[in-house]
């Protein structure tokens, strides 16, 4: 069997960055390079696998239980990496027996420091894989991809292990919120599924944010600055004023746990026109709706002060909290907890401060909690993953399959 770490290193070498400005699916053709590789690897293991026009790899390992009473269980991961940092020419660094000190990222001269990231000390003595400081690593979510592929390899080479149908799915474009928009749940064939897309060891999540995106276009008036008194309306200044109207304590850097936020993720402007992009998040539905109303009130205030049409708001819903859809099937969360405990892991059931493909899949009829994949510091050049964490995630997948077969 190929080692899990070797699979991971092969996968991160493939550039799969998604593009939120693209209208195609997948949003970038280069994602198909890894998706095609995964399909072919599954086939080489004797597992029937397909890659469709939308970039979905689906595969199934048929049940060997001799009964149809074992529900089909699926495992899903996304292949794309975030637009936030380059995923091209990734040069991983392997630090064996980590000593708890600062780690030099040789490509940039930056350091990964316990002083900044105290959780590093939790992995003292383990083998860490970091970036070289010039790109992200891609553990989000190629760690999940590698873990699922390792588990598939395990069951393909151990036919004596009893299991029900095992469904495998790899998706594009999760990082830009379009990961499962064309995913065919019926074709996938699982009754329950898990996304392998969480962070540190033990994380188990069946709650996520309700999410919306807001785009605000501020229309100003550009007049020669020497003659601007009483005439100019600087759209950039109006944008700053509007942003100041939002609750100051409801920003990502001031929130945790179940606390939601308004996050200004982009601003581009001139005197004449400025565009602001926000994401709005809250676990609680009523507070989520209140946040949408709040940003609308801020735009109304600006329009009342400077004239109708100054602030033009476009709100788009992105996804809902999956708890409502998973809770009636809470046994799948309990099975995941037991699977972790079998590996000596203390489960950490907590809300996701983000979203996963599992949220939308749960509302598409496929209850789908999220399990740790092991990586930390996602979406940036300080990303890292402990090899031991990936090993435990793969073992958790295998244990889940075995536990379902015992039900």
């Amino acid at each position: 069997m190929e080692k899990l770490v070797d699979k991971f290193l092969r996968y991160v070498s493939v550039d799969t960055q998604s593009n939120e400005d693209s209208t195609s699916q997948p949003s970038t053709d280069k994602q198909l390079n890894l998706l095609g590789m995964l399909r072919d690897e599954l086939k080489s293991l004797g597992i029937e696998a397909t890659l469709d026009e939308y970039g979905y790899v689906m595969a199934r390992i048929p049940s060997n239980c001799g009964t149809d009473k074992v529900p089909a269980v699926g495992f899903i991961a996304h292949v794309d990496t975030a637009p936030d940092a380059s995923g091209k020419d990734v040069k991983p660094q392997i630090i064996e027996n980590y000593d708890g000190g600062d780690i030099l990222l040789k490509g940039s001269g930056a350091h990964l420091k316990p002083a900044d990231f105290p959780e590093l000390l939790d992995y003292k003595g383990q083998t860490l894989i970091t970036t070289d400081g010039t790109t992200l690593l891609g553990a989000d979510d190629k760690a999940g991809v590698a873990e699922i592929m390792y588990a598939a390899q395990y069951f393909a080479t151990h036919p004596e292990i009893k299991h029900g149908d095992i469904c495998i799915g790899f998706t594009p474009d999760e990082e830009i919120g379009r990961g499962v928009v064309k995913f065919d749940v019926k074709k996938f064939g699982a009754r329950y599924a898990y996304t392998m897309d969480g962070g540190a060891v033990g994380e188990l999540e069946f709650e996520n944010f309700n999410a919306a995106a807001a785009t605000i276009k501020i229309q100003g008036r550009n007049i020669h600055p020497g003659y601007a008194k009483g005439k100019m309306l600087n759209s950039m200044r109006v944008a700053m004023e509007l942003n100041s109207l939002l609750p100051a304590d409801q920003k990502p850097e001031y929130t945790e746990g179940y606390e939601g936020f308004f996050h200004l993720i982009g601003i581009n402007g001139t005197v004449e026109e400025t565009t602001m992009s926000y994401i709005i998040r809250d676990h609680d539905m009523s507070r989520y709706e209140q946040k949408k109303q709040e940003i609308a009130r801020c735009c109304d205030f600006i329009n009342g002060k400077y004239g109708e049409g100054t602030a033009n708001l476009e709100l788009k819903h992105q996804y809902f909290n999956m708890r409502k859809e998973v809770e009636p099937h809470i046994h799948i969360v309990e099975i995941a907890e037991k699977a972790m405990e079998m590996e000596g892991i203390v489960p950490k059931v907590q809300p996701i401060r983000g979203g996963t493909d599992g949220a939308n899949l749960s509302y598409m009829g496929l209850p789908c909690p999220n399990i740790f994949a092991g990586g930390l510091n996602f979406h940036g050049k300080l990303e890292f993953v402990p090899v031991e964490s990936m090993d435990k995630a793969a073992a958790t997948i295998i244990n889940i399959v075995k536990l379902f077969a015992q039900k």
Side-chain angles (χ1 to χ4, degrees):
M1 288 178 61
E2 183 183 20
K3 291 181 179 179
L4 194 160
V5 67
D6 293 332
K7 290 182 180 293
F8 175 72
L9 292 173
R10 282 197 298 109
Y11 300 155
V12 299
S13 70
V14 183
D15 181 11
T16 56
Q17 189 178 51
S18 49
N19 178 8
E20 57 196 339
D21 296 324
S22 168
T23 58
S24 64
Q25 181 163 342
S27 65
T28 53
D29 288 340
K30 57 190 176 183
Q31 293 179 71
L32 294 170
N33 295 331
L34 180 54
L35 289 160
M37 181 191 302
L38 294 170
R39 174 202 58 198
D40 294 345
E41 286 183 23
L42 288 162
K43 285 185 173 181
S44 72
L45 291 168
I47 300 169
E48 185 176 333
T50 61
L51 170 58
D52 70 17
E53 60 184 304
Y54 302 118
Y56 296 123
V57 172
M58 293 189 184
R60 177 179 295 205
I61 303 175
S63 171
N64 62 5
C65 282
T67 175
D68 59 3
K69 292 183 179 180
V70 176
V73 60
F75 299 92
I76 299 168
H78 65 90
V79 302
D80 65 313
T81 59
D84 306 71
S86 173
K88 184 179 181 182
D89 297 326
V90 174
K91 298 178 178 65
Q93 295 184 170
I94 300 176
I95 293 88
E96 296 182 347
N97 193 24
Y98 171 56
D99 63 7
D102 294 352
I103 299 172
L104 172 65
L105 306 180
K106 297 177 181 178
S108 66
H111 288 81
L112 192 57
K113 302 177 181 180
D116 298 326
F117 304 102
E119 62 271 21
L120 274 165
L121 298 178
D122 295 337
Y123 305 102
K124 191 173 180 180
Q126 298 188 24
T127 298
L128 306 187
I129 303 177
T130 74
T131 78
D132 73 341
T134 62
T135 68
L136 49 65
L137 178 61
D140 180 14
D141 186 28
K142 291 172 186 174
V145 172
E147 291 149 10
I148 293 170
M149 288 296 290
Y150 183 86
Q153 177 183 247
Y154 174 85
F155 285 108
T157 55
H158 291 80
E160 73 280 4
I161 305 296
K162 297 299 180 184
H163 59 81
D165 283 347
I166 305 169
C167 303
I168 296 165
F170 299 118
T171 67
D173 294 339
E174 189 270 354
E175 296 291 2
I176 59 172
R178 306 205 298 260
V180 294
V181 291
K182 296 181 183 293
F183 192 89
D184 189 334
V185 167
K186 184 176 180 180
K187 177 183 175 183
F188 186 56
R191 178 66 187 89
Y192 308 107
Y194 301 87
T195 49
M196 302 300 299
D197 194 19
V201 168
E203 287 186 7
L204 173 57
E205 302 145 333
F206 68 98
E207 301 176 76
N208 61 281
F209 281 134
N210 297 293
T215 302
I216 304 173
K217 293 184 178 179
I218 307 294
Q219 184 61 54
R221 291 189 301 273
N222 192 7
I223 307 295
H224 187 291
Y227 305 92
K229 185 173 181 178
K231 299 176 182 178
M232 178 185 285
L233 181 62
N234 189 323
S235 73
M236 292 181 287
R237 294 189 184 279
V238 175
M240 289 188 286
E241 180 181 353
L242 191 154
N243 186 65
S244 72
L245 297 174
L246 292 168
D249 61 342
Q250 294 184 36
K251 299 174 183 176
E253 56 266 44
Y254 302 131
T255 60
E256 61 183 351
Y258 284 95
E259 297 168 339
F261 55 74
F262 300 89
H263 181 28
L264 178 61
I265 60 172
I267 183 166
N268 183 37
T270 62
V271 172
E272 188 74 21
E273 185 175 273
T274 295
T275 300
M276 311 167 74
S277 300
Y278 288 87
I279 58 173
I280 301 169
R281 302 289 189 263
D282 209 295
H283 290 91
D284 181 83
M285 180 61 75
S286 63
R287 291 196 297 268
Y288 169 63
E289 294 297 335
Q290 289 168 12
K291 281 181 169 58
K292 290 194 292 182
Q293 293 167 14
E294 180 67 23
I295 202 166
R297 281 195 296 269
C298 292
C299 291
D300 289 343
F301 174 85
I302 292 295
N303 286 330
K305 183 174 180 179
Y306 296 107
E308 194 62 36
T310 302
N312 298 283
L313 170 66
E314 181 183 4
L315 267 175
K316 289 184 178 179
H317 171 75
Q318 294 176 303
Y319 50 82
F320 288 119
N321 188 341
M322 73 171 102
R323 178 171 184 160
K324 177 175 175 288
E325 300 300 317
V326 174
E327 210 160 30
H329 312 279
I330 199 65
H331 69 283
I332 63 176
V333 176
E334 294 167 348
I335 287 174
E337 288 182 285
K338 186 173 181 181
M340 292 182 191
E341 290 166 352
M342 290 165 66
E343 297 303 314
I345 301 167
V346 177
K348 302 170 186 174
V349 181
Q350 59 190 31
I352 307 171
R353 288 189 57 79
T356 73
D357 280 342
N360 285 322
L361 288 170
S362 294
Y363 278 87
M364 292 162 67
L366 180 60
C368 194
N370 189 49
I371 292 175
F372 72 92
L376 296 102
N377 292 353
F378 294 151
H379 295 197
K381 298 173 183 179
L382 301 178
E383 185 181 9
F384 71 96
V385 63
V387 171
E388 290 81 355
S389 296
M390 289 194 292
D391 288 338
K392 288 183 178 180
T396 297
I397 295 173
I398 293 167
N399 290 342
I400 288 172
V401 172
K402 292 178 178 178
L403 288 168
F404 266 96
Q406 294 171 11
K407 295 293 283 184

